[in-house]
Amino acid sequence: MLSVVGCGYLGTTHAACMSSLGFTVIGVDTDADKVAMLSRGELPFYEPGLDTLLAQEMKSGRLSFTTDFSAVQSADIHFVCVGTPQIKDGLAADLTYVRSAVRAISPYLKEGALVVGKSTVPVGTAQSLHEELAISAPQADLAWNPEFLREGFAVEDTLTPNRLVVGVTNDRAEEILKTVYAGIIALGTPWIRADLATAELVKVAANSFLATKISFINAMAEVCEAAGGDVTILAKAIGYDPRIGSRFLQAGIGFGGGCLPKDIRAFMARAEELGAKQALEFLREIDAINLRARQRVIDVVRSELSEDLTQYKVAVLGATFKPDSDDVRDSPALDIAAQLHAAGAHVVVHDPKGIEPARKRFPNLNFSQSVTECIKAADLILHLTEWKEYQALDPAVLGPLVKNKIIIDGRNALDRELWRNAGWKFHALGRTD
Ligand code: UGA
């Protein structure tokens, strides 16, 4: 039997996927509302395919959820999947939830139990939890097994990951994890055994590399704008080199979400604590390039409309940090919308899935459930999250609805010729033509 502690994005996905592999799984969370929803087989957030899987696994009888930590006592393996958000007054990660999760289960750990951390943590955390457990629950062991799932592809990434990484201190822990993941290993998934510190580092190194790739192409976008080039052609051309690769070279308003931004910041903070500050100084620039992309969009809005935005309506298409998700954490789209609203513009935001979470974060913003309503009489449209349905919009149909036919594509995802042929003034980041 398995337990999953923390039933957010990661935990719920992991619990449902492990149940689908045939394990009995108990999910524990302190949030009673969330547990009640999950127990009814309802997903508290949007993730394609996970709703169906959750409902199916609840019916199977193998999966259940509770707020009662003592329910983990029958489990042999405990996956810790709680969040590690950025602290309020600095760059570091807040480890409160990870530490309290391990403390909460430790009285219930049976002989030979394995606690498996999946949360993204600063290097050294696993070692300190290992030492803590050696005192509070010496009968148990601890391993670290970072998770690389992407929102929007959570089920696929969990059941068919491109690698499995386990940080362990002994062979037995590795063997236990090999048993858990036997079905996935059988698919030919690469298996990497590491020490605790390396396993923790693999995760933040991967996210730092991805963030670097995105900021690299956004830096190229800035240069293209200055030099009269086109970043989309540049990205395509360099991407054909297999050493570079074409993925994660989509220039635009940059990365957001609950992972990349906070992970690079926490990594910098940890490196500084370790005396390796200089090694990660470049991540400061990655972060700065990323935030600058948001400002560049606002600059184009001002240059198209006016320095004083109070008389203008700006329609924002997209609130989530990426499509196929309702997650608005550190969303570049929502940040831009909020900044324009704060500057006095009349901003109306549309999103296929993220309106309610966005409203919770920014109750003063205006939202609209329909694209037509959102863009009605707008002086300018901002396309900020590349939902498929925005790519299907017909600019000829939208033209008569707006006041000015001006659109800024913040994601380089719309068909520029189509919009221009319909008489629109079309801007895109990194494309000067
Ligand atoms: C990211 C990693 O991709 C996962 O491997 C990792 O497991 C996860 O964080 C995590 O740490 O849990 P995710 O946050 O779901 O996954 O989002 P990504 O698909 O990485 O996208 C992040 C941001 O980068 C989005 O805002 C997206 O719009 C932006 N992005 C992505 C670009 O601006 N350009 C690109 O070319 C690609």
Side-chain angles (χ1 to χ4, degrees), residues 309-315 340-341 344-348 366 376:
L309 294 171
T310 47
Q311 303 303 317
Y312 296 95
K313 173 175 175 182
V314 178
L340 289 170
H341 173 80
H346 173 48
V347 178
V348 182
N366 298 298
K376 196 184 271 173

Side-chain angles (χ1 to χ4, degrees), residues 148-149 151 203 207 214 248 250 255-256 259 321-322 411:
F148 305 100
L149 67 79
E151 296 191 13
K203 170 65 195 234
N207 276 0
I214 299 167
F248 269 65
Q250 187 76 23
F255 58 83
C259 303
F321 85 106
K322 70 175 195 181
R411 289 295 183 180

Side-chain angles (χ1 to χ4, degrees), residues 340-399:
L340 289 170
H341 173 80
H346 173 48
V347 178
V348 182
V349 182
H350 174 270
D351 192 276
K353 296 285 177 197
I355 291 184
E356 287 320 312
R359 201 197 300 277
K360 265 194 208 134
R361 215 153 266 236
F362 292 101
N364 295 333
L365 273 179
N366 298 298
F367 296 92
S368 171
Q369 302 283 351
S370 101
V371 172
T372 2
E373 199 55 43
C374 172
I375 66 157
K376 196 184 271 173
D379 292 284
L380 186 146
I381 298 180
L382 286 177
H383 171 248
L384 300 183
T385 311
E386 68 277 35
W387 286 94
K388 281 241 154 45
E389 64 181 85
Y390 297 148
Q391 285 146 53
L393 290 172
D394 183 347
V397 174
L398 301 188

Side-chain angles (χ1 to χ4, degrees), residues 9-10 120 147-153 157 163 203 206-207 210-211 213-214 217-218 246-263 290 320-323 325 327 329-332 384-386 410-411:
Y9 219 94
L10 169 59
T120 303
E147 180 57 57
F148 305 100
L149 67 79
R150 298 159 297 166
E151 296 191 13
F153 301 90
D157 286 351
R163 76 287 210 192
K203 170 65 195 234
N207 276 0
L210 294 170
K213 233 183 150 182
I214 299 167
I217 203 63
N218 285 334
S246 58
R247 297 179 73 184
F248 269 65
L249 285 183
Q250 187 76 23
I253 55 170
F255 58 83
C259 303
L260 262 47
K262 67 116 175 134
D263 285 355
N290 192 52
T320 54
F321 85 106
K322 70 175 195 181
S325 165
D327 197 340
R329 284 177 294 170
D330 206 342
S331 165
L384 300 183
T385 311
E386 68 277 35
R411 289 295 183 180

Side-chain angles (χ1 to χ4, degrees), residues 238-287:
I238 62 171
Y240 278 119
D241 182 337
R243 292 171 303 172
I244 296 173
S246 58
R247 297 179 73 184
F248 269 65
L249 285 183
Q250 187 76 23
I253 55 170
F255 58 83
C259 303
L260 262 47
K262 67 116 175 134
D263 285 355
I264 62 168
R265 292 171 195 154
F267 200 14
M268 284 188 268
R270 184 64 184 136
E272 187 168 351
E273 283 171 12
L274 292 168
K277 179 176 181 210
Q278 212 179 353
L280 297 188
E281 271 302 316
F282 74 97
L283 287 178
R284 215 170 290 283
E285 197 53 42
I286 298 306
D287 204 2

